Amino acid sequence: MAAIRTPEADRLAAELAKRLGDKPLTARELAAQLVATDSPAELLDAFDDALARAADIEEQPLDEALWGPAPTAQALAQARRVKQRAQDEALVGVLAEALSRAQAAAVLGISPQAVSKRHAGGALVALSRGRELYFPAWQFADGAALPGLADVIAAYPGSPLALSTWAVTSNADLDRATPAQMLARRGGVERVLEAIEAISAAAW
C-alpha cells in the first residue's frame, strides 16, 4: 500500500533524515536512535503535527449514506441511562443471593483467607462493594465450587457481573439450561466453554 504524502509527513521525514540519515531502519533501531538524540523541539513539533493530522483523519464523520445518521446527543444520553439502569438492576439481583467471604468459606469448608486466595488465583468470581467482596451464589453447589469454574472465569470475555448474569440465564446453546446448571452435569464444562467460545467469536 502506497504511503499518502502530506506536508506533515514530509516535515517529519525531513526532521528524521536530518538526525538519523536516510538509511532503512527497523522499528527497534529507530527507537534506539530517537532515544539517543537530544529530542530537539523541531522533531517533537514534527511528531505533533503528524499525530494531529492522523487524529483529524480518524475523527472524520462516517458516511451517513452507508452507516445511517449519527445518533444525537440526546439519544446517546438515553442509551447510557438505559445501560446504567440495566447494570444496576443486574447488580442488585446478583448481590441479593451473593455470599460474604465468611459465608463462602463456610460453604466450602475452608478459611476466609483461603477463599481470598482462590479468588486472587481466578478460581472464584467475586464482586467488590467498597472494601468487601461478595461471591455470587451460582458458582457453588453441594459444598464445593462448580466443576471447571476457573476455566470458565478465564474464558469468559466480560466482567464478573456480566458472567454472573449470563451464568444464571437460560441458554439456547445449552438445551435451555443455564450455564451454572450445565456445569454441574457430566460433560457440562466442555459445553459451557463452547458456548463462551461462540460468544467470543460473535464479538469479532
Side-chain angles (χ1 to χ4, degrees):
M1 177 178 172
I4 300 175
R5 294 190 57 177
T6 66
E8 294 84 3
D10 287 342
R11 181 185 173 204
L12 178 56
E15 291 294 338
L16 289 171
K18 188 188 305 182
R19 289 157 180 79
L20 309 178
D22 207 20
K23 63 181 180 180
L25 293 173
T26 67
R28 186 175 296 278
E29 289 170 339
L30 174 59
Q33 290 289 338
L34 289 175
V35 169
T37 69
D38 59 355
S39 300
E42 294 86 356
L43 182 56
L44 294 177
D45 286 344
F47 268 114
D48 285 342
D49 286 347
L51 292 173
R53 169 82 178 190
D56 287 341
I57 291 174
E58 289 180 357
E59 292 176 3
Q60 288 180 356
L62 296 175
D63 183 354
E64 290 193 0
L66 178 62
W67 299 101
T72 64
Q74 183 178 4
L76 287 173
Q78 176 62 19
R80 292 189 189 99
R81 286 193 293 269
V82 170
K83 177 184 177 183
Q84 187 60 54
R85 186 162 55 246
Q87 288 181 336
D88 291 344
E89 291 174 355
L91 181 60
V92 169
V94 172
L95 288 177
E97 298 183 359
L99 283 63
S100 68
R101 188 174 71 135
Q103 290 171 329
V107 167
L108 297 174
I110 58 178
S111 69
Q113 292 76 16
V115 170
S116 296
K117 186 174 181 180
R118 287 196 189 186
H119 171 249
L124 289 174
V125 176
L127 302 175
S128 61
R129 301 296 290 168
R131 302 178 66 177
E132 300 296 326
L133 289 176
Y134 293 90
F135 297 81
W138 64 266
Q139 60 194 318
F140 306 108
D142 300 325
L146 287 171
L149 183 60
D151 292 333
V152 169
I153 294 171
Y156 191 79
S159 67
L161 176 58
L163 170 56
S164 295
T165 302
W166 179 78
V168 296
T169 302
S170 175
N171 192 304
D173 293 332
L174 302 174
D175 305 326
R176 298 295 176 185
T178 69
Q181 291 168 338
M182 185 58 67
L183 285 175
R185 300 177 184 176
R186 184 184 300 274
V189 175
E190 290 75 13
R191 293 197 59 186
V192 170
L193 291 174
E194 288 171 0
I196 292 175
E197 185 177 353
I199 294 174
S200 303
W204 292 98

